[in-house]
Amino acid sequence: MPSIFLSHTSIDKPFVEKLARDLKRIGVNVWFDKWEIKIGDSITWKIEEGIRENEFLGIVLSPEALSSEWVKSELGAAWVKQMHTRKVFVLPIYYRSCEIPYFLADRRFADFRSDYEYGFKELASIFGIEETEAITQDNWRKFTKNKKVDWKKYKIKEFEELVTTLVDRAIDFKWSAWVGGTANEFSITLHTQSHSEKKSVSIKLVGETNSYMATFIDEYNPNHLKVTDFNIYVGNSVDSCDEFVYRIMKDFNEQFGAPTGKPEYATERFSRGNEVSELTKEIIKKFNWYKGDRL
């Protein structure tokens, strides 16, 4: 399994941490100081150990990195190792435009300046890894036919984010919210009633396309709806659903006034009734779709 020591300056750490996580996902062992250096450790010794034990040193190039004494020191140690082993060890990772050092100028580098995925693909190819695109919360739909990738956990995470966003939105507008249980997974209904009118909008993450579809069928419990009821395309993101719901809630409240009655919220993953006993309620709190702090 290939391994890499990531040399960088602190200002670039958010980028480097994302890069480190994505490299781990495709099977590369990564030495990243935030993960490796613990309280009480000798920073110098840990860095020396990391450079010595890893197959490559990836230097994240930026103006600040090239003026960093730590990066210069790490690069110097890597250069000595490269001369001693007579094999390529230093991998330039071009993150932000800067003047490339002369001894790296003739090297092929992974260019992340304008396109992260392009740069990541270049870097991964050095390790002989063909599956170069790292799965993320934003692109998991691309991996739904890849049996080697656990894309379903990203689907679940996205739906948790959707529920939390829409329930918070419902709280703001005093609407009720009910998340579908095992009878209708990955669905949520938002419902309200004023003195003269009532309104329901339900959204579901549907089928093979994993698109968000909606329906305005008058129903407060999404478990009572069928998949075929969802016939309005909303989008493929939490933001698109939030914008869709916001407009509906805002228009209704402005036209018919504030909802009457106390709103209710049911956000558990499982259907109600015998599926949930009193003894297991505390345990299944962690299986709640809602991850906010307003309920």
Side-chain angles (χ1 to χ4, degrees):
M1 182 178 290
S3 62
I4 186 170
F5 177 105
L6 292 177
S7 176
H8 63 285
T9 187
S10 59
I11 196 172
D12 297 329
K13 196 170 291 293
F15 163 79
V16 178
E17 184 164 8
K18 172 178 171 53
L19 177 61
R21 293 187 186 283
D22 288 344
L23 286 170
K24 287 192 68 175
R25 289 191 189 106
I26 63 171
V28 178
N29 280 331
V30 180
W31 196 102
F32 174 47
D33 59 1
K34 183 177 176 180
W35 299 344
E36 302 294 336
I37 300 176
K38 311 301 181 185
I39 295 176
D41 286 345
S42 166
I43 297 176
T44 302
W45 281 107
K46 290 293 289 187
I47 288 175
E48 181 178 329
E49 179 183 68
I51 293 174
R52 183 174 61 250
E53 295 183 354
N54 283 276
E55 185 178 0
F56 297 98
L57 179 140
I59 175 170
V60 179
L61 294 169
S62 70
E64 292 82 3
L66 295 180
S67 62
S68 166
E69 293 302 321
W70 277 109
V71 172
K72 290 178 182 178
S73 177
E74 292 165 359
L75 194 54
W79 188 255
V80 170
K81 177 178 178 178
Q82 181 166 291
M83 296 300 292
H84 179 72
T85 60
R86 296 184 179 278
K87 58 186 292 188
V88 174
F89 177 62
V90 179
L91 303 179
I93 299 171
Y94 207 177
Y95 173 41
R96 289 186 289 120
S97 294
C98 59
E99 186 174 347
I100 306 297
Y102 287 123
F103 63 90
L104 294 177
D106 64 340
R107 302 294 181 91
R108 177 188 172 188
F109 53 79
D111 192 349
F112 286 81
R113 287 175 296 173
S114 59
D115 188 333
Y116 180 89
E117 294 298 337
Y118 176 79
F120 189 78
K121 186 177 295 186
E122 286 189 312
L123 183 59
S125 68
I126 295 173
F127 306 122
I129 297 172
E130 296 180 3
E131 189 63 58
T132 57
E133 188 174 16
I135 185 170
T136 67
Q137 191 64 50
D138 297 325
N139 70 1
W140 63 266
R141 287 172 175 79
K142 295 181 181 179
F143 293 81
T144 54
K145 294 184 179 180
N146 189 332
K147 296 181 179 180
K148 296 180 180 180
V149 178
D150 184 14
W151 57 269
K152 291 182 179 179
K153 68 179 182 180
Y154 293 92
K155 176 179 180 177
I156 290 172
K157 190 69 177 176
E158 181 181 284
F159 192 70
E160 286 179 346
E161 182 183 344
L162 176 84
V163 170
T164 303
T165 299
L166 296 189
V167 170
D168 283 345
R169 183 70 68 193
I171 292 171
D172 290 338
F173 282 90
K174 296 183 172 60
W175 284 45
S176 296
W178 192 318
V179 181
T182 51
N184 196 357
E185 288 187 307
F186 299 105
S187 64
I188 180 172
T189 293
L190 305 153
H191 179 81
T192 191
Q193 184 167 353
S194 68
H195 291 291
S196 60
E197 195 70 30
K198 58 183 178 179
K199 183 80 171 182
S200 292
V201 56
S202 301
I203 292 177
K204 180 176 176 65
L205 189 54
V206 175
E208 292 185 359
T209 62
N210 286 296
S211 298
Y212 288 106
M213 304 291 289
T215 179
F216 292 115
I217 291 177
D218 183 19
E219 182 57 70
Y220 68 91
N221 183 349
N223 294 312
H224 297 162
L225 296 169
K226 304 186 295 293
V227 175
T228 53
D229 292 330
F230 295 86
N231 57 3
I232 303 169
Y233 176 75
V234 178
N236 288 324
S237 70
V238 173
D239 286 344
S240 61
C241 294
D242 187 30
E243 291 173 7
F244 180 78
V245 166
Y246 173 80
R247 289 194 300 269
I248 294 167
M249 290 181 171
K250 186 173 184 294
D251 289 347
F252 181 90
N253 284 19
E254 287 181 352
Q255 186 174 357
F256 300 106
T260 58
K262 182 180 179 181
E264 297 181 352
Y265 306 97
T267 58
E268 294 84 5
R269 292 189 186 185
F270 305 104
S271 297
R272 295 194 162 199
N274 294 332
E275 295 179 41
V276 180
S277 69
E278 292 297 324
L279 293 177
T280 60
K281 282 184 178 179
E282 288 300 316
I283 297 175
I284 67 170
K285 280 183 179 178
K286 66 179 181 179
F287 294 110
N288 196 312
W289 286 116
Y290 181 73
K291 299 300 180 184
D293 57 4
R294 301 177 65 180
L295 292 181

